[in-house]
Amino acid sequence: MKKKNEYSNFIENGVKYMQCQSCLSEYVEVGDTTVAVTCNSCTTIIMINKFPDSIPKYNIRKSNGRPPGWHFMNEFVDKDGNVFHKGKEQPDLKGTLKPTKVKPPKKRKKKDPDKKMFDLAKKYKKKLKLKRKSE
């Protein structure tokens, strides 16, 4: 005769809660006749292990070969010769212009915290001077 596993359960406000059979840490709301339950975290782990190909691929951005902000440019010509005016394609102008050369953005130097603090102090002193003169 097979021995039945008893999982911890309790009833609160007329609702039965039972302990997860896999992790034994999470309690799940169940019906009155339920014998065992698996929580949503354990179910997810089991499904990922059984069907690894079914995991959706999010945030995979494919480059289209155009620079960031190309649709804000007054005129942009991509490497295939497509002409765009403010992001709208102009098919009748295709191949009539040379591709737009894009300059890489300038590297901004990050101010060190001390320099930043001294600049703020200078600004504050100027503000105080102006305040005194106006009074």
Side-chain angles (χ1 to χ4, degrees):
M1 189 164 189
K2 200 173 186 183
K3 189 181 177 202
K4 214 189 232 186
N5 285 347
E6 295 259 336
Y7 295 102
S8 175
N9 64 60
F10 64 93
I11 296 173
E12 188 177 285
N13 298 332
V15 179
K16 185 178 178 183
Y17 292 90
M18 189 174 280
Q19 193 176 30
C20 172
Q21 64 183 350
S22 299
C23 63
L24 301 175
S25 63
E26 198 168 323
Y27 282 85
V28 182
E29 186 180 317
V30 294
D32 294 335
T33 58
T34 307
V35 178
V37 68
T38 306
C39 69
N40 62 344
S41 306
C42 295
T43 305
T44 305
I45 292 167
I46 292 165
M47 292 305 290
I48 287 171
N49 290 336
K50 281 188 177 180
F51 307 104
D53 298 334
S54 66
I55 302 167
K57 305 279 189 263
Y58 295 111
N59 296 335
I60 297 176
R61 195 171 151 222
K62 294 177 185 170
S63 176
N64 56 9
R66 299 180 188 134
W70 68 271
H71 49 281
F72 296 122
M73 294 180 186
N74 288 334
E75 182 179 77
F76 176 75
V77 183
D78 66 3
K79 58 188 170 201
D80 298 331
N82 298 322
V83 181
F84 298 90
H85 284 284
K86 295 191 178 181
K88 304 276 186 211
E89 188 175 2
Q90 307 297 319
D92 50 313
L93 296 175
K94 183 175 180 170
T96 58
L97 300 167
K98 291 181 184 174
T100 306
K101 290 182 182 174
V102 182
K103 297 174 191 168
K106 291 181 183 177
K107 300 274 183 178
R108 293 187 183 99
K109 280 177 72 177
K110 192 174 181 181
K111 282 187 181 177
D112 63 291
D114 291 336
K115 175 83 171 135
K116 209 175 194 180
M117 187 179 69
F118 283 118
D119 287 349
L120 285 171
K122 227 184 244 183
K123 211 176 192 181
Y124 179 71
K125 284 179 183 178
K126 270 187 182 178
K127 202 175 183 181
L128 284 177
K129 262 187 188 176
L130 289 170
K131 206 174 197 182
R132 282 190 211 127
K133 281 184 181 179
S134 66
E135 288 178 351

